[in-house]
Amino acid sequence: MSIAIIAPSRDVTVLRDHLRAALPEVSVDIYPEIATPQDVRMAVLWNQPPHSLEQFPKLGLMQSLGAGVDHILSDEYLRANIPVTRVVDPQLNIGMCRYVTMAVLNFHKNLYQHLRAQQARKWTGQALVETPVRVGILGMGVLGRAVAESLLQLEFEVHGFSNRPKEIPGVQSYSAEKNELGAFLAHSNCLVCLLPLTPQTRGILNLDLFRKMPAGAFLINVGRGAHLVEADLLRALEEGELAGACLDVLEKEPLPPEHPFWTHPGIVLTPHIASVTDQQTAAQQMAENYRRLLRGGKLINEVDRKRGY
Ligand code: NDP
Ligand code: OXD
């Protein structure tokens, strides 16, 4: 029996070594060097090439290398009855809390204007002290909730939007079930997208949504690039609906060299590094899922394939 890691764009040797250490009796290989495809029971996946899973007749579990599973579920050659699990890890929460806090504080403290003033050797004095911030978090799952709690520690006002209603101390909660997106947006001038990418959330960050927020709002997208309609962001920045955006995820990664986002003065880009799976800690939960798969136990962090997250 064996495990295949298919993550062509990532260096996963640390993960392989920790899986081998946790499961010494199991062979763990990195795609495309899979020694015995007919023995593979679990595949650890990040953007697997089309058809790559077809070579594993005994595949029993698809484990995401990250928190998101859209890259697995979008594979048109996926078999229907194989469970999908994902990473939920305190390390991932910490990385995301730090990234979003950094981006919220940059907006709050007007850092981008101060950097531009510095480049122009302009001392703005106390003309630009703080922008009042009301954070709205789209997606109040594992990461959204952790981010909300860390922003509350800094005394920010926090609003949260999810599919189903939530009760989270200190957070004003709104839900899709109660049709409260409009009210949520009206109360938020710093929008953090921490949604999973599903057919319902694709393109959700569009002009119509930006217009429901107070003018001059700020966007932080750490969900997926395809949540954002890129042309609508450019228009919203031009029209002043949005004051700026911090984007960690892009529709096409790596972002093509000719893309207008590279040089837009209102956009800050990072290359999908908001929070990166810790391969050492994640290997432990993957190894446990492998053991559970073999003995028929309940899997850890299984996603609902119908819901898509
Ligand atoms: P969860 O599955 O724990 O949470 C998802 C949240 O989104 C839930 O609160 C859910 O609502 C809500 N939601 C889903 N669909 C809708 C909808 N149509 N309308 C309103 N709310 C909706 O995911 P995580 O918090 O673990 O991760 C979220 C995403 O963050 C990942 O899918 C991934 O795309 C991204 N990510 C990005 C990283 C980066 O480095 N940039 C790193 C890690 C993750 P409910 O609770 O009611 O079900
Ligand atoms: C994830 C990610 O889903 O890195 O974990 O985006």
Side-chain angles (χ1 to χ4, degrees), residues 72 154 207:
I72 299 180
L154 292 175
L207 197 58

Side-chain angles (χ1 to χ4, degrees), residues 25-293:
E25 71 290 3
V26 178
S27 78
V28 183
D29 296 324
I30 298 176
Y31 178 89
E33 312 296 332
I34 312 290
T36 53
Q38 66 279 10
D39 290 337
V40 169
R41 296 300 323 278
M42 173 166 111
V44 180
L45 303 171
W46 188 260
N47 291 330
Q48 74 274 10
H51 296 291
S52 57
L53 296 171
E54 286 175 7
Q55 58 180 313
F56 309 135
K58 295 197 194 118
L59 187 65
L61 173 58
M62 295 180 288
Q63 164 75 54
S64 174
L65 179 57
V69 294
D70 49 293
H71 56 99
I72 299 180
L73 298 180
S74 62
D75 185 335
E76 58 178 310
Y77 303 102
L78 219 55
R79 275 169 269 166
N81 52 352
I82 303 178
V84 176
T85 51
R86 70 193 193 101
V87 172
V88 173
D89 185 2
Q91 290 304 326
L92 207 54
N93 294 3
I94 291 169
M96 188 56 80
C97 290
R98 289 178 178 164
Y99 183 96
V100 174
T101 301
M102 174 268 307
V104 169
L105 287 175
N106 284 348
F107 173 55
H108 176 56
K109 288 286 184 184
N110 300 309
L111 189 79
Y112 305 118
Q113 286 100 308
H114 289 304
L115 286 174
R116 281 196 287 275
Q118 180 183 347
Q119 274 152 16
R121 295 173 181 260
K122 193 168 155 201
W123 186 259
T124 51
Q126 290 177 352
L128 286 170
V129 181
E130 289 179 344
T131 297
V133 169
R134 282 159 285 132
V135 183
I137 304 176
L138 271 174
M140 290 298 287
V142 174
L143 294 174
R145 188 178 175 128
V147 165
E149 284 165 356
S150 60
L151 291 171
L152 287 172
Q153 296 280 323
L154 292 175
E155 312 266 336
F156 284 109
E157 183 177 317
V158 181
H159 302 258
F161 183 77
S162 48
N163 248 333
R164 297 159 287 194
K166 303 254 174 301
E167 275 188 33
I168 301 173
V171 177
Q172 311 276 332
S173 295
Y174 309 77
S175 71
E177 255 179 28
K178 291 193 186 161
N179 208 10
E180 293 172 322
L181 181 60
F184 162 78
L185 293 169
H187 285 99
S188 311
N189 74 340
C190 182
L191 185 69
V192 180
C193 177
L194 264 169
L195 289 166
L197 183 64
T198 67
Q200 291 71 39
T201 64
R202 182 176 289 274
I204 190 170
L205 303 175
N206 57 41
L207 197 58
D208 186 44
L209 176 139
F210 300 141
R211 285 185 172 150
K212 292 186 174 131
M213 297 178 68
F218 193 78
L219 171 69
I220 300 167
N221 189 14
V222 277
R224 284 289 181 263
H227 285 132
L228 175 67
V229 179
E230 294 187 342
D232 285 10
L233 172 61
L234 293 172
R235 180 136 173 230
L237 289 167
E238 205 177 296
E239 291 177 358
E241 308 287 350
L242 292 181
C246 173
L247 308 176
D248 181 58
V249 285
L250 282 311
E251 172 104 56
K252 190 157 177 14
E253 296 175 6
L255 191 67
E258 66 285 358
H259 199 287
F261 285 0
W262 283 115
T263 50
H264 196 292
I267 296 177
V268 175
L269 298 175
T270 52
H272 203 142
I273 47 77
S275 189
V276 177
T277 298
D278 179 320
Q279 295 188 18
Q280 181 176 352
T281 52
Q284 306 316 315
Q285 58 186 270
M286 293 177 189
E288 179 56 22
N289 261 345
Y290 183 80
R291 291 185 202 104
R292 291 178 184 216
L293 170 70

